PDB file of all heavy atoms in Angstrom:
ATOM      1  N   PRO A  27      39.948  74.205  23.177  1.00 89.00           N
ATOM      2  CA  PRO A  27      38.578  73.729  22.975  1.00 89.00           C
ATOM      3  C   PRO A  27      38.087  74.082  21.574  1.00 89.00           C
ATOM      4  O   PRO A  27      38.454  75.121  21.018  1.00 89.00           O
ATOM      5  CB  PRO A  27      37.787  74.485  24.036  1.00 89.00           C
ATOM      6  CG  PRO A  27      38.796  74.890  25.058  1.00 89.00           C
ATOM      7  CD  PRO A  27      40.055  75.128  24.304  1.00 89.00           C
ATOM      8  N   VAL A  28      37.269  73.212  21.018  1.00 91.00           N
ATOM      9  CA  VAL A  28      36.701  73.461  19.688  1.00 91.00           C
ATOM     10  C   VAL A  28      35.191  73.261  19.754  1.00 91.00           C
ATOM     11  O   VAL A  28      34.678  72.499  20.562  1.00 91.00           O
ATOM     12  CB  VAL A  28      37.309  72.525  18.617  1.00 91.00           C
ATOM     13  CG1 VAL A  28      38.792  72.791  18.446  1.00 91.00           C
ATOM     14  CG2 VAL A  28      37.079  71.063  18.981  1.00 91.00           C
ATOM     15  N   SER A  29      34.484  73.975  18.889  1.00 89.00           N
ATOM     16  CA  SER A  29      33.035  73.824  18.778  1.00 89.00           C
ATOM     17  C   SER A  29      32.625  74.313  17.402  1.00 89.00           C
ATOM     18  O   SER A  29      33.446  74.803  16.627  1.00 89.00           O
ATOM     19  CB  SER A  29      32.311  74.618  19.870  1.00 89.00           C
ATOM     20  OG  SER A  29      32.545  76.005  19.711  1.00 89.00           O
ATOM     21  N   SER A  30      31.360  74.179  17.080  1.00 91.00           N
ATOM     22  CA  SER A  30      30.828  74.685  15.821  1.00 91.00           C
ATOM     23  C   SER A  30      29.499  75.360  16.115  1.00 91.00           C
ATOM     24  O   SER A  30      29.072  75.443  17.268  1.00 91.00           O
ATOM     25  CB  SER A  30      30.636  73.544  14.814  1.00 91.00           C
ATOM     26  OG  SER A  30      29.549  72.731  15.201  1.00 91.00           O
ATOM     27  N   ASP A  31      28.835  75.811  15.095  1.00 90.00           N
ATOM     28  CA  ASP A  31      27.556  76.484  15.290  1.00 90.00           C
ATOM     29  C   ASP A  31      26.470  75.505  15.723  1.00 90.00           C
ATOM     30  O   ASP A  31      25.459  75.911  16.293  1.00 90.00           O
ATOM     31  CB  ASP A  31      27.136  77.184  13.994  1.00 90.00           C
ATOM     32  CG  ASP A  31      25.927  78.087  14.210  1.00 90.00           C
ATOM     33  OD1 ASP A  31      25.992  78.929  15.125  1.00 90.00           O
ATOM     34  OD2 ASP A  31      24.934  77.937  13.474  1.00 90.00           O
ATOM     35  N   THR A  32      26.688  74.223  15.460  1.00 93.00           N
ATOM     36  CA  THR A  32      25.662  73.224  15.786  1.00 93.00           C
ATOM     37  C   THR A  32      26.095  72.229  16.855  1.00 93.00           C
ATOM     38  O   THR A  32      25.244  71.622  17.506  1.00 93.00           O
ATOM     39  CB  THR A  32      25.262  72.430  14.523  1.00 93.00           C
ATOM     40  OG1 THR A  32      26.435  71.824  13.958  1.00 93.00           O
ATOM     41  CG2 THR A  32      24.621  73.345  13.486  1.00 93.00           C
ATOM     42  N   VAL A  33      27.406  72.043  17.036  1.00 95.00           N
ATOM     43  CA  VAL A  33      27.913  71.069  18.001  1.00 95.00           C
ATOM     44  C   VAL A  33      28.633  71.796  19.122  1.00 95.00           C
ATOM     45  O   VAL A  33      29.487  72.652  18.873  1.00 95.00           O
ATOM     46  CB  VAL A  33      28.860  70.058  17.332  1.00 95.00           C
ATOM     47  CG1 VAL A  33      29.407  69.067  18.357  1.00 95.00           C
ATOM     48  CG2 VAL A  33      28.136  69.315  16.220  1.00 95.00           C
ATOM     49  N   SER A  34      28.288  71.462  20.359  1.00 95.00           N
ATOM     50  CA  SER A  34      28.840  72.155  21.523  1.00 95.00           C
ATOM     51  C   SER A  34      30.319  71.842  21.716  1.00 95.00           C
ATOM     52  O   SER A  34      30.898  70.988  21.045  1.00 95.00           O
ATOM     53  CB  SER A  34      28.048  71.786  22.773  1.00 95.00           C
ATOM     54  OG  SER A  34      28.228  70.422  23.081  1.00 95.00           O
ATOM     55  N   VAL A  35      30.904  72.518  22.670  1.00 93.00           N
ATOM     56  CA  VAL A  35      32.344  72.493  22.862  1.00 93.00           C
ATOM     57  C   VAL A  35      32.866  71.109  23.256  1.00 93.00           C
ATOM     58  O   VAL A  35      32.196  70.340  23.933  1.00 93.00           O
ATOM     59  CB  VAL A  35      32.733  73.537  23.937  1.00 93.00           C
ATOM     60  CG1 VAL A  35      32.204  73.109  25.306  1.00 93.00           C
ATOM     61  CG2 VAL A  35      34.223  73.765  23.975  1.00 93.00           C
ATOM     62  N   ARG A  36      34.078  70.826  22.827  1.00 93.00           N
ATOM     63  CA  ARG A  36      34.816  69.654  23.269  1.00 93.00           C
ATOM     64  C   ARG A  36      36.289  70.029  23.318  1.00 93.00           C
ATOM     65  O   ARG A  36      36.717  71.033  22.730  1.00 93.00           O
ATOM     66  CB  ARG A  36      34.615  68.458  22.334  1.00 93.00           C
ATOM     67  CG  ARG A  36      35.196  68.655  20.950  1.00 93.00           C
ATOM     68  CD  ARG A  36      34.978  67.443  20.052  1.00 93.00           C
ATOM     69  NE  ARG A  36      35.520  67.671  18.712  1.00 93.00           N
ATOM     70  CZ  ARG A  36      36.784  67.429  18.370  1.00 93.00           C
ATOM     71  NH1 ARG A  36      37.620  66.949  19.269  1.00 93.00           N
ATOM     72  NH2 ARG A  36      37.207  67.673  17.151  1.00 93.00           N
ATOM     73  N   ILE A  37      37.063  69.244  24.041  1.00 92.00           N
ATOM     74  CA  ILE A  37      38.508  69.435  24.098  1.00 92.00           C
ATOM     75  C   ILE A  37      39.151  68.189  23.516  1.00 92.00           C
ATOM     76  O   ILE A  37      38.922  67.088  24.022  1.00 92.00           O
ATOM     77  CB  ILE A  37      38.987  69.667  25.542  1.00 92.00           C
ATOM     78  CG1 ILE A  37      38.304  70.908  26.133  1.00 92.00           C
ATOM     79  CG2 ILE A  37      40.490  69.829  25.594  1.00 92.00           C
ATOM     80  CD1 ILE A  37      38.634  71.158  27.586  1.00 92.00           C
ATOM     81  N   PRO A  38      39.902  68.320  22.445  1.00 91.00           N
ATOM     82  CA  PRO A  38      40.511  67.137  21.813  1.00 91.00           C
ATOM     83  C   PRO A  38      41.261  66.274  22.828  1.00 91.00           C
ATOM     84  O   PRO A  38      41.964  66.780  23.703  1.00 91.00           O
ATOM     85  CB  PRO A  38      41.469  67.753  20.785  1.00 91.00           C
ATOM     86  CG  PRO A  38      40.851  69.077  20.443  1.00 91.00           C
ATOM     87  CD  PRO A  38      40.251  69.570  21.739  1.00 91.00           C
ATOM     88  N   ASN A  39      41.037  64.968  22.695  1.00 90.00           N
ATOM     89  CA  ASN A  39      41.702  63.969  23.541  1.00 90.00           C
ATOM     90  C   ASN A  39      41.244  64.006  25.004  1.00 90.00           C
ATOM     91  O   ASN A  39      41.887  63.416  25.865  1.00 90.00           O
ATOM     92  CB  ASN A  39      43.229  64.110  23.481  1.00 90.00           C
ATOM     93  CG  ASN A  39      43.759  64.034  22.060  1.00 90.00           C
ATOM     94  OD1 ASN A  39      43.340  63.173  21.291  1.00 90.00           O
ATOM     95  ND2 ASN A  39      44.669  64.935  21.721  1.00 90.00           N
ATOM     96  N   LYS A  40      40.144  64.689  25.268  1.00 92.00           N
ATOM     97  CA  LYS A  40      39.572  64.723  26.609  1.00 92.00           C
ATOM     98  C   LYS A  40      38.143  64.188  26.539  1.00 92.00           C
ATOM     99  O   LYS A  40      37.392  64.532  25.625  1.00 92.00           O
ATOM    100  CB  LYS A  40      39.547  66.146  27.165  1.00 92.00           C
ATOM    101  CG  LYS A  40      40.923  66.761  27.375  1.00 92.00           C
ATOM    102  CD  LYS A  40      41.432  66.455  28.765  1.00 92.00           C
ATOM    103  CE  LYS A  40      42.675  67.279  29.075  1.00 92.00           C
ATOM    104  NZ  LYS A  40      43.178  67.006  30.430  1.00 92.00           N
ATOM    105  N   PRO A  41      37.726  63.350  27.506  1.00 94.00           N
ATOM    106  CA  PRO A  41      36.354  62.814  27.475  1.00 94.00           C
ATOM    107  C   PRO A  41      35.299  63.828  27.890  1.00 94.00           C
ATOM    108  O   PRO A  41      34.126  63.680  27.543  1.00 94.00           O
ATOM    109  CB  PRO A  41      36.405  61.650  28.463  1.00 94.00           C
ATOM    110  CG  PRO A  41      37.495  62.015  29.426  1.00 94.00           C
ATOM    111  CD  PRO A  41      38.514  62.766  28.617  1.00 94.00           C
ATOM    112  N   TRP A  42      35.703  64.842  28.662  1.00 95.00           N
ATOM    113  CA  TRP A  42      34.771  65.860  29.137  1.00 95.00           C
ATOM    114  C   TRP A  42      35.263  67.238  28.739  1.00 95.00           C
ATOM    115  O   TRP A  42      36.458  67.478  28.790  1.00 95.00           O
ATOM    116  CB  TRP A  42      34.618  65.787  30.667  1.00 95.00           C
ATOM    117  CG  TRP A  42      34.092  64.473  31.137  1.00 95.00           C
ATOM    118  CD1 TRP A  42      34.823  63.380  31.509  1.00 95.00           C
ATOM    119  CD2 TRP A  42      32.714  64.108  31.281  1.00 95.00           C
ATOM    120  NE1 TRP A  42      33.990  62.360  31.883  1.00 95.00           N
ATOM    121  CE2 TRP A  42      32.698  62.774  31.757  1.00 95.00           C
ATOM    122  CE3 TRP A  42      31.504  64.766  31.076  1.00 95.00           C
ATOM    123  CZ2 TRP A  42      31.513  62.093  32.015  1.00 95.00           C
ATOM    124  CZ3 TRP A  42      30.333  64.096  31.336  1.00 95.00           C
ATOM    125  CH2 TRP A  42      30.341  62.778  31.799  1.00 95.00           C
ATOM    126  N   PRO A  43      34.367  68.130  28.334  1.00 96.00           N
ATOM    127  CA  PRO A  43      32.919  67.950  28.197  1.00 96.00           C
ATOM    128  C   PRO A  43      32.564  67.085  26.991  1.00 96.00           C
ATOM    129  O   PRO A  43      33.324  67.010  26.025  1.00 96.00           O
ATOM    130  CB  PRO A  43      32.399  69.382  28.012  1.00 96.00           C
ATOM    131  CG  PRO A  43      33.552  70.129  27.419  1.00 96.00           C
ATOM    132  CD  PRO A  43      34.791  69.509  28.002  1.00 96.00           C
ATOM    133  N   VAL A  44      31.396  66.458  27.078  1.00 96.00           N
ATOM    134  CA  VAL A  44      30.905  65.622  25.985  1.00 96.00           C
ATOM    135  C   VAL A  44      30.272  66.529  24.934  1.00 96.00           C
ATOM    136  O   VAL A  44      29.403  67.337  25.236  1.00 96.00           O
ATOM    137  CB  VAL A  44      29.871  64.605  26.498  1.00 96.00           C
ATOM    138  CG1 VAL A  44      29.308  63.785  25.344  1.00 96.00           C
ATOM    139  CG2 VAL A  44      30.509  63.694  27.543  1.00 96.00           C
ATOM    140  N   ALA A  45      30.719  66.415  23.702  1.00 93.00           N
ATOM    141  CA  ALA A  45      30.164  67.231  22.628  1.00 93.00           C
ATOM    142  C   ALA A  45      28.851  66.641  22.139  1.00 93.00           C
ATOM    143  O   ALA A  45      28.674  65.428  22.085  1.00 93.00           O
ATOM    144  CB  ALA A  45      31.153  67.313  21.466  1.00 93.00           C
ATOM    145  N   GLY A  46      27.930  67.502  21.800  1.00 94.00           N
ATOM    146  CA  GLY A  46      26.645  67.075  21.267  1.00 94.00           C
ATOM    147  C   GLY A  46      25.918  68.284  20.720  1.00 94.00           C
ATOM    148  O   GLY A  46      26.407  69.416  20.813  1.00 94.00           O
ATOM    149  N   ALA A  47      24.757  68.056  20.155  1.00 94.00           N
ATOM    150  CA  ALA A  47      23.968  69.172  19.660  1.00 94.00           C
ATOM    151  C   ALA A  47      23.632  70.116  20.808  1.00 94.00           C
ATOM    152  O   ALA A  47      23.388  69.681  21.935  1.00 94.00           O
ATOM    153  CB  ALA A  47      22.692  68.667  18.999  1.00 94.00           C
ATOM    154  N   TYR A  48      23.649  71.414  20.532  1.00 97.00           N
ATOM    155  CA  TYR A  48      23.238  72.374  21.559  1.00 97.00           C
ATOM    156  C   TYR A  48      21.808  72.090  21.991  1.00 97.00           C
ATOM    157  O   TYR A  48      20.985  71.654  21.192  1.00 97.00           O
ATOM    158  CB  TYR A  48      23.334  73.795  21.021  1.00 97.00           C
ATOM    159  CG  TYR A  48      24.738  74.319  20.907  1.00 97.00           C
ATOM    160  CD1 TYR A  48      25.373  74.397  19.670  1.00 97.00           C
ATOM    161  CD2 TYR A  48      25.436  74.739  22.035  1.00 97.00           C
ATOM    162  CE1 TYR A  48      26.663  74.880  19.560  1.00 97.00           C
ATOM    163  CE2 TYR A  48      26.734  75.224  21.935  1.00 97.00           C
ATOM    164  CZ  TYR A  48      27.346  75.288  20.693  1.00 97.00           C
ATOM    165  OH  TYR A  48      28.630  75.759  20.594  1.00 97.00           O
ATOM    166  N   PRO A  49      21.505  72.352  23.262  1.00 97.00           N
ATOM    167  CA  PRO A  49      20.135  72.100  23.723  1.00 97.00           C
ATOM    168  C   PRO A  49      19.157  73.127  23.176  1.00 97.00           C
ATOM    169  O   PRO A  49      19.542  74.222  22.751  1.00 97.00           O
ATOM    170  CB  PRO A  49      20.249  72.236  25.248  1.00 97.00           C
ATOM    171  CG  PRO A  49      21.385  73.201  25.441  1.00 97.00           C
ATOM    172  CD  PRO A  49      22.360  72.879  24.341  1.00 97.00           C
ATOM    173  N   LYS A  50      17.915  72.761  23.176  1.00 96.00           N
ATOM    174  CA  LYS A  50      16.841  73.688  22.851  1.00 96.00           C
ATOM    175  C   LYS A  50      16.862  74.849  23.847  1.00 96.00           C
ATOM    176  O   LYS A  50      17.321  74.707  24.975  1.00 96.00           O
ATOM    177  CB  LYS A  50      15.502  72.937  22.927  1.00 96.00           C
ATOM    178  CG  LYS A  50      14.283  73.696  22.453  1.00 96.00           C
ATOM    179  CD  LYS A  50      13.058  72.777  22.528  1.00 96.00           C
ATOM    180  CE  LYS A  50      11.799  73.482  22.004  1.00 96.00           C
ATOM    181  NZ  LYS A  50      11.312  74.501  22.947  1.00 96.00           N
ATOM    182  N   GLU A  51      16.334  75.994  23.422  1.00 95.00           N
ATOM    183  CA  GLU A  51      16.288  77.154  24.297  1.00 95.00           C
ATOM    184  C   GLU A  51      15.597  76.831  25.623  1.00 95.00           C
ATOM    185  O   GLU A  51      14.671  76.039  25.671  1.00 95.00           O
ATOM    186  CB  GLU A  51      15.547  78.313  23.609  1.00 95.00           C
ATOM    187  CG  GLU A  51      16.282  78.923  22.437  1.00 95.00           C
ATOM    188  CD  GLU A  51      16.074  78.163  21.140  1.00 95.00           C
ATOM    189  OE1 GLU A  51      15.408  77.104  21.181  1.00 95.00           O
ATOM    190  OE2 GLU A  51      16.570  78.615  20.094  1.00 95.00           O
ATOM    191  N   GLY A  52      16.052  77.471  26.691  1.00 95.00           N
ATOM    192  CA  GLY A  52      15.462  77.265  28.007  1.00 95.00           C
ATOM    193  C   GLY A  52      16.091  76.158  28.807  1.00 95.00           C
ATOM    194  O   GLY A  52      15.573  75.801  29.874  1.00 95.00           O
ATOM    195  N   ALA A  53      17.210  75.605  28.338  1.00 97.00           N
ATOM    196  CA  ALA A  53      17.858  74.493  29.044  1.00 97.00           C
ATOM    197  C   ALA A  53      18.292  74.913  30.445  1.00 97.00           C
ATOM    198  O   ALA A  53      18.868  75.990  30.639  1.00 97.00           O
ATOM    199  CB  ALA A  53      19.064  74.003  28.248  1.00 97.00           C
ATOM    200  N   LEU A  54      18.039  74.061  31.424  1.00 97.00           N
ATOM    201  CA  LEU A  54      18.469  74.321  32.795  1.00 97.00           C
ATOM    202  C   LEU A  54      19.968  74.124  32.968  1.00 97.00           C
ATOM    203  O   LEU A  54      20.618  74.840  33.736  1.00 97.00           O
ATOM    204  CB  LEU A  54      17.723  73.395  33.757  1.00 97.00           C
ATOM    205  CG  LEU A  54      16.236  73.682  33.983  1.00 97.00           C
ATOM    206  CD1 LEU A  54      15.639  72.622  34.896  1.00 97.00           C
ATOM    207  CD2 LEU A  54      16.034  75.071  34.576  1.00 97.00           C
ATOM    208  N   LEU A  55      20.528  73.133  32.283  1.00 98.00           N
ATOM    209  CA  LEU A  55      21.925  72.754  32.450  1.00 98.00           C
ATOM    210  C   LEU A  55      22.750  73.233  31.257  1.00 98.00           C
ATOM    211  O   LEU A  55      22.265  73.257  30.145  1.00 98.00           O
ATOM    212  CB  LEU A  55      22.039  71.228  32.568  1.00 98.00           C
ATOM    213  CG  LEU A  55      21.115  70.561  33.590  1.00 98.00           C
ATOM    214  CD1 LEU A  55      21.290  69.045  33.545  1.00 98.00           C
ATOM    215  CD2 LEU A  55      21.335  71.086  34.985  1.00 98.00           C
ATOM    216  N   PRO A  56      23.970  73.660  31.500  1.00 97.00           N
ATOM    217  CA  PRO A  56      24.754  73.689  32.736  1.00 97.00           C
ATOM    218  C   PRO A  56      24.667  75.027  33.477  1.00 97.00           C
ATOM    219  O   PRO A  56      25.509  75.321  34.317  1.00 97.00           O
ATOM    220  CB  PRO A  56      26.174  73.474  32.214  1.00 97.00           C
ATOM    221  CG  PRO A  56      26.174  74.243  30.910  1.00 97.00           C
ATOM    222  CD  PRO A  56      24.794  74.050  30.327  1.00 97.00           C
ATOM    223  N   PHE A  57      23.669  75.828  33.161  1.00 97.00           N
ATOM    224  CA  PHE A  57      23.559  77.162  33.740  1.00 97.00           C
ATOM    225  C   PHE A  57      23.180  77.117  35.217  1.00 97.00           C
ATOM    226  O   PHE A  57      23.420  78.079  35.952  1.00 97.00           O
ATOM    227  CB  PHE A  57      22.523  77.977  32.964  1.00 97.00           C
ATOM    228  CG  PHE A  57      22.785  78.005  31.487  1.00 97.00           C
ATOM    229  CD1 PHE A  57      22.028  77.236  30.617  1.00 97.00           C
ATOM    230  CD2 PHE A  57      23.807  78.774  30.967  1.00 97.00           C
ATOM    231  CE1 PHE A  57      22.266  77.247  29.255  1.00 97.00           C
ATOM    232  CE2 PHE A  57      24.062  78.795  29.602  1.00 97.00           C
ATOM    233  CZ  PHE A  57      23.288  78.022  28.744  1.00 97.00           C
ATOM    234  N   ASN A  58      22.551  76.034  35.637  1.00 98.00           N
ATOM    235  CA  ASN A  58      22.111  75.856  37.020  1.00 98.00           C
ATOM    236  C   ASN A  58      22.552  74.492  37.535  1.00 98.00           C
ATOM    237  O   ASN A  58      22.865  73.592  36.756  1.00 98.00           O
ATOM    238  CB  ASN A  58      20.579  75.928  37.108  1.00 98.00           C
ATOM    239  CG  ASN A  58      20.018  77.177  36.472  1.00 98.00           C
ATOM    240  OD1 ASN A  58      19.970  78.230  37.084  1.00 98.00           O
ATOM    241  ND2 ASN A  58      19.585  77.076  35.216  1.00 98.00           N
ATOM    242  N   ARG A  59      22.566  74.356  38.845  1.00 98.00           N
ATOM    243  CA  ARG A  59      22.767  73.043  39.455  1.00 98.00           C
ATOM    244  C   ARG A  59      21.455  72.651  40.143  1.00 98.00           C
ATOM    245  O   ARG A  59      20.793  73.492  40.757  1.00 98.00           O
ATOM    246  CB  ARG A  59      23.907  73.083  40.476  1.00 98.00           C
ATOM    247  CG  ARG A  59      24.111  71.751  41.209  1.00 98.00           C
ATOM    248  CD  ARG A  59      25.383  71.754  42.039  1.00 98.00           C
ATOM    249  NE  ARG A  59      26.571  71.594  41.186  1.00 98.00           N
ATOM    250  CZ  ARG A  59      27.419  72.560  40.897  1.00 98.00           C
ATOM    251  NH1 ARG A  59      27.233  73.782  41.374  1.00 98.00           N
ATOM    252  NH2 ARG A  59      28.466  72.328  40.118  1.00 98.00           N
ATOM    253  N   ILE A  60      21.071  71.401  40.033  1.00 98.00           N
ATOM    254  CA  ILE A  60      19.822  70.917  40.613  1.00 98.00           C
ATOM    255  C   ILE A  60      20.119  70.231  41.946  1.00 98.00           C
ATOM    256  O   ILE A  60      20.970  69.337  42.011  1.00 98.00           O
ATOM    257  CB  ILE A  60      19.111  69.947  39.652  1.00 98.00           C
ATOM    258  CG1 ILE A  60      18.756  70.665  38.342  1.00 98.00           C
ATOM    259  CG2 ILE A  60      17.859  69.364  40.304  1.00 98.00           C
ATOM    260  CD1 ILE A  60      18.278  69.742  37.241  1.00 98.00           C
ATOM    261  N   LEU A  61      19.428  70.650  43.011  1.00 98.00           N
ATOM    262  CA  LEU A  61      19.539  70.055  44.347  1.00 98.00           C
ATOM    263  C   LEU A  61      18.222  69.366  44.657  1.00 98.00           C
ATOM    264  O   LEU A  61      17.196  70.017  44.866  1.00 98.00           O
ATOM    265  CB  LEU A  61      19.808  71.129  45.393  1.00 98.00           C
ATOM    266  CG  LEU A  61      21.271  71.505  45.717  1.00 98.00           C
ATOM    267  CD1 LEU A  61      21.959  70.404  46.462  1.00 98.00           C
ATOM    268  CD2 LEU A  61      22.042  71.885  44.463  1.00 98.00           C
ATOM    269  N   ALA A  62      18.220  68.030  44.664  1.00 98.00           N
ATOM    270  CA  ALA A  62      16.974  67.269  44.743  1.00 98.00           C
ATOM    271  C   ALA A  62      16.849  66.506  46.055  1.00 98.00           C
ATOM    272  O   ALA A  62      17.799  65.864  46.512  1.00 98.00           O
ATOM    273  CB  ALA A  62      16.880  66.302  43.564  1.00 98.00           C
ATOM    274  N   TYR A  63      15.649  66.561  46.630  1.00 98.00           N
ATOM    275  CA  TYR A  63      15.282  65.696  47.740  1.00 98.00           C
ATOM    276  C   TYR A  63      14.439  64.547  47.192  1.00 98.00           C
ATOM    277  O   TYR A  63      13.481  64.759  46.456  1.00 98.00           O
ATOM    278  CB  TYR A  63      14.505  66.481  48.803  1.00 98.00           C
ATOM    279  CG  TYR A  63      15.379  67.000  49.923  1.00 98.00           C
ATOM    280  CD1 TYR A  63      16.762  67.096  49.776  1.00 98.00           C
ATOM    281  CD2 TYR A  63      14.827  67.389  51.133  1.00 98.00           C
ATOM    282  CE1 TYR A  63      17.561  67.559  50.804  1.00 98.00           C
ATOM    283  CE2 TYR A  63      15.616  67.863  52.175  1.00 98.00           C
ATOM    284  CZ  TYR A  63      16.987  67.938  51.999  1.00 98.00           C
ATOM    285  OH  TYR A  63      17.780  68.393  53.023  1.00 98.00           O
ATOM    286  N   TYR A  64      14.809  63.327  47.602  1.00 97.00           N
ATOM    287  CA  TYR A  64      14.309  62.091  46.991  1.00 97.00           C
ATOM    288  C   TYR A  64      13.466  61.309  47.998  1.00 97.00           C
ATOM    289  O   TYR A  64      13.673  61.370  49.202  1.00 97.00           O
ATOM    290  CB  TYR A  64      15.536  61.283  46.571  1.00 97.00           C
ATOM    291  CG  TYR A  64      15.322  59.873  46.069  1.00 97.00           C
ATOM    292  CD1 TYR A  64      15.113  59.619  44.722  1.00 97.00           C
ATOM    293  CD2 TYR A  64      15.410  58.798  46.947  1.00 97.00           C
ATOM    294  CE1 TYR A  64      14.969  58.313  44.258  1.00 97.00           C
ATOM    295  CE2 TYR A  64      15.271  57.491  46.490  1.00 97.00           C
ATOM    296  CZ  TYR A  64      15.047  57.257  45.146  1.00 97.00           C
ATOM    297  OH  TYR A  64      14.912  55.977  44.702  1.00 97.00           O
ATOM    298  N   GLY A  65      12.521  60.531  47.491  1.00 97.00           N
ATOM    299  CA  GLY A  65      11.789  59.631  48.365  1.00 97.00           C
ATOM    300  C   GLY A  65      10.380  59.362  47.896  1.00 97.00           C
ATOM    301  O   GLY A  65      10.008  59.650  46.748  1.00 97.00           O
ATOM    302  N   ASN A  66       9.594  58.796  48.801  1.00 95.00           N
ATOM    303  CA  ASN A  66       8.208  58.425  48.538  1.00 95.00           C
ATOM    304  C   ASN A  66       7.385  58.769  49.776  1.00 95.00           C
ATOM    305  O   ASN A  66       7.823  58.539  50.901  1.00 95.00           O
ATOM    306  CB  ASN A  66       8.120  56.927  48.217  1.00 95.00           C
ATOM    307  CG  ASN A  66       6.719  56.478  47.884  1.00 95.00           C
ATOM    308  OD1 ASN A  66       5.909  56.224  48.779  1.00 95.00           O
ATOM    309  ND2 ASN A  66       6.417  56.370  46.598  1.00 95.00           N
ATOM    310  N   PHE A  67       6.205  59.295  49.568  1.00 95.00           N
ATOM    311  CA  PHE A  67       5.403  59.779  50.686  1.00 95.00           C
ATOM    312  C   PHE A  67       4.859  58.655  51.570  1.00 95.00           C
ATOM    313  O   PHE A  67       4.442  58.898  52.698  1.00 95.00           O
ATOM    314  CB  PHE A  67       4.244  60.640  50.174  1.00 95.00           C
ATOM    315  CG  PHE A  67       4.703  61.861  49.431  1.00 95.00           C
ATOM    316  CD1 PHE A  67       4.116  62.208  48.214  1.00 95.00           C
ATOM    317  CD2 PHE A  67       5.718  62.661  49.926  1.00 95.00           C
ATOM    318  CE1 PHE A  67       4.529  63.336  47.521  1.00 95.00           C
ATOM    319  CE2 PHE A  67       6.145  63.790  49.243  1.00 95.00           C
ATOM    320  CZ  PHE A  67       5.555  64.130  48.032  1.00 95.00           C
TER     321      PHE A  67
END
């Protein structure tokens, strides 16, 4: 895996994980998983 100070990790020749700018502080993902209940009242 490779990364830089500004671009998140990627693995050469692999589509995942997707490299991009690191998120702003306080990011929920990937540190947590979201379990959502969906619908309309």
Side-chain angles (χ1 to χ4, degrees):
V28 296
S29 64
S30 72
D31 189 53
T32 57
V33 179
S34 66
V35 68
R36 66 180 179 87
I37 301 176
N39 304 315
K40 296 270 191 179
W42 299 92
V44 177
Y48 286 104
K50 187 177 182 287
E51 291 84 356
L54 289 177
L55 309 177
F57 307 104
N58 307 277
R59 177 171 284 106
I60 299 170
L61 270 289
Y63 265 18
Y64 172 90
N66 182 278
F67 299 134

